[in-house]
Amino acid sequence: MEFETYSSPLQKLVLDRKPLSYSEEEIRNVRLRRDIAVLYAQVFADEPWNEKTRCVSCGAFSSEQGVCSACGTRLVPAYPMKDMMEYFRSELGKDNSVLAYAAEENDLPIAFAWGFPLSVEQFVDMKYKTESMRNALRSLLIPVVGDSFFYFSECGVRPDQRKKGLASILTNQMLNSAQSYGLPMVMRTNDRSPMVKIAQRVGMDKLPYDDLENLQRVIFTRT
Ligand SMILES: [Zn+2]
């Protein structure tokens, strides 16, 4: 598998930097995040996303190697380990974030989900570029969820472990987390994502919404 090559250099890097002061818990967390980073790249390289590479210039994802078909610039791995570790640090470092994952007997994660409480203001600021879409989202979301919610950020299942209900189990974990915080849940995804079916299965409602920044986007809420 091509993604396995990321794992050993990174682990070495982490352990080399601070060889004596890492607690077992910290090492476990770093390993877990590294394993989830590998899994993340594996999940999104597969159907229906096929995000194997990304253009360094225009940012478009591709399933090809070599150069970008849109702008001719070099393609690099879509989700390199270094970027993913940064992303996890930012996402899982948020206040009261929740990570749920399923693992094999050897502790290797095969499915992941995470989320965190977010205000509508933080959400529109983080996720939308234009003031008109930010305003549209404010007036759509606030009457449904109020000022804040639990944002179900990401979920993925290793391709060979699909169709076993893992994503539904993890989605229900996220709903339980939202409930334990006394918050509604919001999920934003793409209309071709398998998460659409799961959102419907767990009783989430589709927000009536046209995203002018990306027409394939859909939002589900559960109050
Ligand atoms: Zn390009």
Side-chain angles (χ1 to χ4, degrees), residues 6-20:
Y6 293 129
S7 60
S8 52
L10 192 90
Q11 186 181 7
K12 190 158 172 283
L13 176 73
V14 169
L15 296 175
D16 280 353
R17 261 193 204 160
K18 247 177 142 185
L20 296 172

Side-chain angles (χ1 to χ4, degrees), residues 48-64:
W49 303 278
N50 297 307
E51 294 171 350
K52 293 187 175 70
T53 53
R54 197 177 51 83
C55 172
V56 288
S57 173
C58 75
F61 287 106
S62 170
S63 59
E64 308 293 312

Side-chain angles (χ1 to χ4, degrees), residues 2 4-5 17 23 40 106 126 152 169 180 210:
E2 61 179 303
E4 272 184 349
T5 53
R17 261 193 204 160
S23 71
Y40 191 100
N106 60 8
M126 191 192 299
F152 182 7
I169 291 168
S180 74
D210 286 317

Side-chain angles (χ1 to χ4, degrees), residues 136-175:
L137 265 296
R138 282 185 192 105
S139 49
L140 276 169
L141 274 175
I142 291 171
V144 179
V145 299
D147 288 334
S148 55
F149 51 82
F150 185 82
Y151 182 58
F152 182 7
S153 180
E154 297 268 11
C155 181
V157 179
R158 201 168 76 190
D160 66 317
Q161 299 292 329
R162 290 184 185 152
K163 312 263 181 223
K164 294 180 179 178
L166 288 172
S168 294
I169 291 168
L170 293 177
T171 300
N172 278 314
Q173 287 281 348
M174 292 293 115
L175 282 169

